[in-house]
Amino acid sequence: LLGGAAWLVARSLGAPLAQIITFVEEVASGNLEATLEPSRHREINSLTASLRKMGDKLRENFAVIGAQKEALALVNQELESRVQERTEELERANEELRTSRDAMERLASTDCLTGLLNRRTFWERAFQKMAPSPRSERGIAVFMADLDGFKAVNDRYGHAAGDEVLRRAAEVLREGLRDDDLLGRVGGEEFAFMVTETSQGQGEALAEGLRKAVEEMKILWHGEVMAVTMSVGVASRLGLEEDLEAMLARADRGLYEAKARGKNRVCPG
């Protein structure tokens, strides 16, 4: 009799316990939607109710966690957007600073009228080109040039016309030189240029070509044609021991000789 009763009790408890075990396994595997039906056994029903509460609580907690994750994702997205915007602002500011710095360097190193190197910068870079290098060792020449009759242009047509002559002369000289040659305005109507990889004869031929280009330059000014000529002194480096000051002195002597011999000519120094 006792054995039969025990069998009946075990049988009646087996199905609810199996349901509880299945529910726990489902929840443990991540299925928070698993359900647990009430039992007619008081003890089992009490356990079932507790487990259902636990499942409800877990679902609530996971819902909160999910909402927090979504909120955190939105915050991260907003932060990333702000960081990107700030990065772009900094990049724009840096670019503006670089542009301003480059503009200031250009203003400090160039002649505002002609756009050529100013006197200080020309001689600084000329000194640098004099440093030993394969190019400088293959010959280097310094030229001093002066526009003839420039004062007459200023006196007759005014300073604005004189400025236009200087700009046009600068253009002609720039077009006749290579990109890596130095060219500067070093005085009122005085220009200097430096060329590497050139012999004495090549330097004089280059100067003669530039002299002719300036002579052929015709500038229309309020219905009249303005023209100037150019005198040039050339000094090719005599040896690696000769410094820039010595070459400049010889180029100046050549320029003075060109002026003394009637202007509009090239003379070696």
Side-chain angles (χ1 to χ4, degrees):
L1 181 61
L2 290 174
W7 179 83
L8 289 174
V9 170
R11 184 178 180 184
S12 65
L13 293 176
L17 288 174
Q19 183 182 11
I20 290 173
I21 292 171
T22 300
F23 173 79
V24 171
E25 290 176 345
E26 286 286 324
V27 171
S29 67
N31 180 16
L32 299 181
E33 301 301 322
T35 58
L36 188 59
E37 297 297 329
S39 172
R40 63 177 180 272
H41 296 281
R42 186 176 63 183
E43 291 79 4
I44 297 296
N45 194 48
S46 177
L47 177 59
T48 299
S50 297
L51 290 173
R52 279 204 306 270
K53 288 181 180 179
M54 180 190 71
D56 293 341
K57 189 64 176 179
L58 285 173
R59 280 190 287 273
E60 290 176 5
N61 290 341
F62 272 87
V64 170
I65 291 172
Q68 290 174 341
K69 285 184 177 180
E70 290 180 2
L72 182 60
L74 290 175
V75 170
N76 286 336
Q77 184 177 357
E78 178 66 19
L79 286 175
E80 289 175 358
S81 177
R82 291 185 181 183
V83 168
Q84 181 64 27
E85 290 176 2
R86 184 57 178 163
T87 301
E88 292 174 356
E89 289 176 2
L90 289 173
E91 289 176 351
R92 286 193 296 269
N94 287 333
E95 182 61 29
E96 290 174 359
L97 285 174
R98 284 191 294 268
T99 301
S100 298
R101 182 192 61 200
D102 292 343
M104 291 181 67
E105 288 179 354
R106 284 193 299 272
L107 287 173
S109 64
T110 59
D111 172 58
C112 61
L113 178 62
T114 62
L116 303 181
L117 297 176
N118 59 27
R119 181 184 183 88
R120 176 184 60 81
T121 305
F122 176 85
W123 294 121
E124 285 178 354
R125 297 189 184 179
F127 273 108
Q128 294 170 4
K129 275 190 175 288
M130 292 288 288
S133 70
R135 300 193 67 179
S136 65
E137 292 174 3
R138 288 195 291 267
I140 191 166
V142 173
F143 306 76
M144 295 299 298
D146 188 85
L147 298 183
D148 307 317
F150 179 75
K151 183 177 183 303
V153 169
N154 266 342
D155 292 343
R156 180 173 180 180
Y157 300 105
H159 290 289
D163 289 347
E164 181 63 18
V165 169
L166 291 172
R167 280 191 289 265
R168 291 288 299 278
E171 292 174 3
V172 168
L173 295 175
R174 189 185 292 113
E175 290 171 359
L177 295 171
R178 299 169 300 188
D179 290 341
D180 59 345
D181 293 333
L182 291 182
L183 172 62
R185 181 186 175 203
V186 295
E189 64 270 24
E190 192 172 26
F191 300 89
F193 37 106
M194 175 181 274
V195 178
T196 56
E197 297 184 285
T198 184
S199 65
Q200 176 75 31
Q202 290 171 331
E204 291 180 23
L206 173 63
E208 180 61 22
L210 293 173
R211 182 201 64 77
K212 287 182 179 179
V214 171
E215 183 181 29
E216 294 169 357
M217 180 180 68
K218 307 301 178 186
I219 304 171
L220 186 63
W221 186 261
H222 299 302
E224 294 191 52
V225 176
M226 299 186 297
V228 294
T229 59
M230 184 173 70
S231 298
V232 186
V234 185
S236 293
R237 197 175 194 181
L238 299 177
L240 295 178
E241 70 282 353
E242 186 177 30
D243 59 21
L244 182 59
E245 287 86 351
M247 293 180 66
L248 174 60
R250 291 197 293 113
D252 273 332
R253 285 198 298 270
L255 176 59
Y256 294 147
E257 183 180 350
K259 291 285 191 180
R261 292 175 57 186
K263 304 177 181 180
N264 192 26
R265 66 186 65 238
V266 175
C267 288

PDB file of all heavy atoms in Angstrom, residues 251-264:
ATOM      1  N   ALA A 251      80.497  91.285 -60.670  1.00  0.00           N
ATOM      2  CA  ALA A 251      79.278  91.545 -61.450  1.00  0.00           C
ATOM      3  C   ALA A 251      78.943  93.034 -61.431  1.00  0.00           C
ATOM      4  O   ALA A 251      78.511  93.595 -62.445  1.00  0.00           O
ATOM      5  CB  ALA A 251      78.122  90.728 -60.891  1.00  0.00           C
ATOM      6  N   ASP A 252      79.118  93.680 -60.287  1.00  0.00           N
ATOM      7  CA  ASP A 252      78.894  95.135 -60.209  1.00  0.00           C
ATOM      8  C   ASP A 252      79.842  95.888 -61.129  1.00  0.00           C
ATOM      9  O   ASP A 252      79.442  96.850 -61.807  1.00  0.00           O
ATOM     10  CB  ASP A 252      79.076  95.612 -58.763  1.00  0.00           C
ATOM     11  CG  ASP A 252      77.800  95.494 -57.950  1.00  0.00           C
ATOM     12  OD1 ASP A 252      76.711  95.576 -58.552  1.00  0.00           O
ATOM     13  OD2 ASP A 252      77.883  95.308 -56.726  1.00  0.00           O
ATOM     14  N   ARG A 253      81.111  95.465 -61.182  1.00  0.00           N
ATOM     15  CA  ARG A 253      82.072  96.120 -62.071  1.00  0.00           C
ATOM     16  C   ARG A 253      81.647  95.957 -63.533  1.00  0.00           C
ATOM     17  O   ARG A 253      81.758  96.886 -64.336  1.00  0.00           O
ATOM     18  CB  ARG A 253      83.476  95.547 -61.851  1.00  0.00           C
ATOM     19  CG  ARG A 253      84.138  96.014 -60.573  1.00  0.00           C
ATOM     20  CD  ARG A 253      85.637  95.793 -60.594  1.00  0.00           C
ATOM     21  NE  ARG A 253      85.995  94.388 -60.716  1.00  0.00           N
ATOM     22  CZ  ARG A 253      86.175  93.574 -59.679  1.00  0.00           C
ATOM     23  NH1 ARG A 253      86.014  94.022 -58.433  1.00  0.00           N
ATOM     24  NH2 ARG A 253      86.524  92.312 -59.860  1.00  0.00           N
ATOM     25  N   GLY A 254      81.152  94.772 -63.854  1.00  0.00           N
ATOM     26  CA  GLY A 254      80.673  94.561 -65.218  1.00  0.00           C
ATOM     27  C   GLY A 254      79.488  95.453 -65.538  1.00  0.00           C
ATOM     28  O   GLY A 254      79.386  96.000 -66.645  1.00  0.00           O
ATOM     29  N   LEU A 255      78.570  95.630 -64.563  1.00  0.00           N
ATOM     30  CA  LEU A 255      77.412  96.497 -64.772  1.00  0.00           C
ATOM     31  C   LEU A 255      77.858  97.947 -64.969  1.00  0.00           C
ATOM     32  O   LEU A 255      77.368  98.639 -65.876  1.00  0.00           O
ATOM     33  CB  LEU A 255      76.455  96.388 -63.581  1.00  0.00           C
ATOM     34  CG  LEU A 255      75.238  97.311 -63.592  1.00  0.00           C
ATOM     35  CD1 LEU A 255      74.375  97.085 -64.834  1.00  0.00           C
ATOM     36  CD2 LEU A 255      74.401  97.120 -62.322  1.00  0.00           C
ATOM     37  N   TYR A 256      78.771  98.423 -64.153  1.00  0.00           N
ATOM     38  CA  TYR A 256      79.267  99.796 -64.294  1.00  0.00           C
ATOM     39  C   TYR A 256      79.942  99.983 -65.651  1.00  0.00           C
ATOM     40  O   TYR A 256      79.797 101.039 -66.303  1.00  0.00           O
ATOM     41  CB  TYR A 256      80.259 100.129 -63.178  1.00  0.00           C
ATOM     42  CG  TYR A 256      79.625 100.150 -61.800  1.00  0.00           C
ATOM     43  CD1 TYR A 256      80.347  99.760 -60.672  1.00  0.00           C
ATOM     44  CD2 TYR A 256      78.309 100.543 -61.628  1.00  0.00           C
ATOM     45  CE1 TYR A 256      79.762  99.768 -59.412  1.00  0.00           C
ATOM     46  CE2 TYR A 256      77.721 100.547 -60.373  1.00  0.00           C
ATOM     47  CZ  TYR A 256      78.446 100.156 -59.276  1.00  0.00           C
ATOM     48  OH  TYR A 256      77.871 100.162 -58.034  1.00  0.00           O
ATOM     49  N   GLU A 257      80.671  98.979 -66.103  1.00  0.00           N
ATOM     50  CA  GLU A 257      81.319  99.071 -67.413  1.00  0.00           C
ATOM     51  C   GLU A 257      80.284  99.142 -68.527  1.00  0.00           C
ATOM     52  O   GLU A 257      80.443  99.921 -69.495  1.00  0.00           O
ATOM     53  CB  GLU A 257      82.241  97.878 -67.633  1.00  0.00           C
ATOM     54  CG  GLU A 257      83.003  97.940 -68.952  1.00  0.00           C
ATOM     55  CD  GLU A 257      83.915  96.747 -69.172  1.00  0.00           C
ATOM     56  OE1 GLU A 257      84.102  95.959 -68.214  1.00  0.00           O
ATOM     57  OE2 GLU A 257      84.426  96.595 -70.295  1.00  0.00           O
ATOM     58  N   ALA A 258      79.207  98.317 -68.405  1.00  0.00           N
ATOM     59  CA  ALA A 258      78.149  98.341 -69.425  1.00  0.00           C
ATOM     60  C   ALA A 258      77.505  99.718 -69.491  1.00  0.00           C
ATOM     61  O   ALA A 258      77.206 100.236 -70.574  1.00  0.00           O
ATOM     62  CB  ALA A 258      77.112  97.266 -69.121  1.00  0.00           C
ATOM     63  N   LYS A 259      77.281 100.326 -68.333  1.00  0.00           N
ATOM     64  CA  LYS A 259      76.705 101.669 -68.300  1.00  0.00           C
ATOM     65  C   LYS A 259      77.666 102.671 -68.945  1.00  0.00           C
ATOM     66  O   LYS A 259      77.267 103.538 -69.728  1.00  0.00           O
ATOM     67  CB  LYS A 259      76.414 102.068 -66.849  1.00  0.00           C
ATOM     68  CG  LYS A 259      75.289 101.304 -66.176  1.00  0.00           C
ATOM     69  CD  LYS A 259      73.935 101.750 -66.657  1.00  0.00           C
ATOM     70  CE  LYS A 259      72.821 101.180 -65.809  1.00  0.00           C
ATOM     71  NZ  LYS A 259      71.476 101.618 -66.278  1.00  0.00           N
ATOM     72  N   ALA A 260      78.958 102.560 -68.603  1.00  0.00           N
ATOM     73  CA  ALA A 260      79.948 103.509 -69.098  1.00  0.00           C
ATOM     74  C   ALA A 260      80.137 103.393 -70.604  1.00  0.00           C
ATOM     75  O   ALA A 260      80.476 104.384 -71.273  1.00  0.00           O
ATOM     76  CB  ALA A 260      81.276 103.278 -68.379  1.00  0.00           C
ATOM     77  N   ARG A 261      79.913 102.210 -71.153  1.00  0.00           N
ATOM     78  CA  ARG A 261      80.135 101.988 -72.582  1.00  0.00           C
ATOM     79  C   ARG A 261      78.891 102.273 -73.424  1.00  0.00           C
ATOM     80  O   ARG A 261      78.836 101.922 -74.596  1.00  0.00           O
ATOM     81  CB  ARG A 261      80.621 100.559 -72.804  1.00  0.00           C
ATOM     82  CG  ARG A 261      82.024 100.305 -72.247  1.00  0.00           C
ATOM     83  CD  ARG A 261      82.417  98.852 -72.366  1.00  0.00           C
ATOM     84  NE  ARG A 261      82.356  98.379 -73.755  1.00  0.00           N
ATOM     85  CZ  ARG A 261      82.546  97.110 -74.125  1.00  0.00           C
ATOM     86  NH1 ARG A 261      82.841  96.201 -73.189  1.00  0.00           N
ATOM     87  NH2 ARG A 261      82.460  96.746 -75.384  1.00  0.00           N
ATOM     88  N   GLY A 262      77.897 102.899 -72.822  1.00  0.00           N
ATOM     89  CA  GLY A 262      76.723 103.312 -73.606  1.00  0.00           C
ATOM     90  C   GLY A 262      75.433 102.615 -73.239  1.00  0.00           C
ATOM     91  O   GLY A 262      74.407 102.827 -73.894  1.00  0.00           O
ATOM     92  N   LYS A 263      75.448 101.767 -72.229  1.00  0.00           N
ATOM     93  CA  LYS A 263      74.251 101.081 -71.742  1.00  0.00           C
ATOM     94  C   LYS A 263      73.736 100.048 -72.751  1.00  0.00           C
ATOM     95  O   LYS A 263      74.288  99.901 -73.837  1.00  0.00           O
ATOM     96  CB  LYS A 263      73.138 102.093 -71.392  1.00  0.00           C
ATOM     97  CG  LYS A 263      73.585 103.140 -70.385  1.00  0.00           C
ATOM     98  CD  LYS A 263      72.470 104.154 -70.119  1.00  0.00           C
ATOM     99  CE  LYS A 263      72.933 105.211 -69.140  1.00  0.00           C
ATOM    100  NZ  LYS A 263      71.891 106.226 -68.856  1.00  0.00           N
ATOM    101  N   ASN A 264      72.695  99.345 -72.370  1.00  0.00           N
ATOM    102  CA  ASN A 264      72.049  98.355 -73.208  1.00  0.00           C
ATOM    103  C   ASN A 264      73.053  97.335 -73.741  1.00  0.00           C
ATOM    104  O   ASN A 264      73.096  97.019 -74.926  1.00  0.00           O
ATOM    105  CB  ASN A 264      71.298  99.017 -74.363  1.00  0.00           C
ATOM    106  CG  ASN A 264      70.370  98.036 -75.082  1.00  0.00           C
ATOM    107  OD1 ASN A 264      69.912  97.050 -74.509  1.00  0.00           O
ATOM    108  ND2 ASN A 264      70.126  98.288 -76.373  1.00  0.00           N
TER     109      ASN A 264
END
